[in-house]
Amino acid sequence: MVENFSSIEGRESEVELKNQVPIGGGMRGDIFEVDADMGDHTKKFVLKKFVDYTVHKPNETYVETAARSAESAFLNHGLAKEAGLKTFTTYRLGNDGESILMTNANIEGKICIGANSHGVTLEHYKEMPQDEKG
């Protein structure tokens, strides 16, 4: 499937996504490792497809849309980059407004563990058997 993705600076790229393999997910979306053909080369990236989800607060309930979540993540990445923080080299919003194509941080012997890693801390990861690390 061919899709267009835009950087925070407004550069657009046409990307053919192949071999979408599920690698995670949660309340806000599903995450896939993909092979992305761009011009004459193919690289592995991560594709996050956001979904609508319901937010329950003490005095209100509302639906957070996939588009709103994707836009928020995209803008936050831009702010982090602008602030000089270390960010993913590639972080592009899909023209569908509901997906982000980003650098695959789990390559070349490196692994990315974030706040939403479902209880997998760096200490826990170090203790895991090799076959469970993925």
Side-chain angles (χ1 to χ4, degrees), residues 57-70:
K57 292 191 171 182
N59 296 319
E60 68 176 314
T61 298
Y62 62 92
V63 173
E64 182 72 20
T65 66
R68 192 171 182 184
S69 294

Side-chain angles (χ1 to χ4, degrees), residues 30-42:
D30 298 309
I31 304 168
F32 303 87
E33 182 177 72
V34 297
D35 293 326
D37 286 349
M38 296 168 290
D40 60 348
H41 63 283
T42 300

Side-chain angles (χ1 to χ4, degrees), residues 9 28 55 63 108 112 120:
E9 297 86 12
R28 295 182 181 183
V55 177
V63 173
E108 298 175 5
C112 184
V120 178

Side-chain angles (χ1 to χ4, degrees), residues 67-79:
R68 192 171 182 184
S69 294
E71 182 69 15
S72 178
F74 187 63
L75 293 175
N76 285 338
H77 177 269
L79 290 171

Side-chain angles (χ1 to χ4, degrees), residues 108-132:
E108 298 175 5
K110 300 176 184 172
I111 185 160
C112 184
I113 297 176
N116 294 330
S117 295
H118 306 290
V120 178
T121 63
L122 186 55
E123 291 77 24
H124 180 256
Y125 181 80
K126 287 177 184 177
E127 295 171 3
M128 288 172 65
Q130 188 65 33
D131 63 331
E132 290 182 30

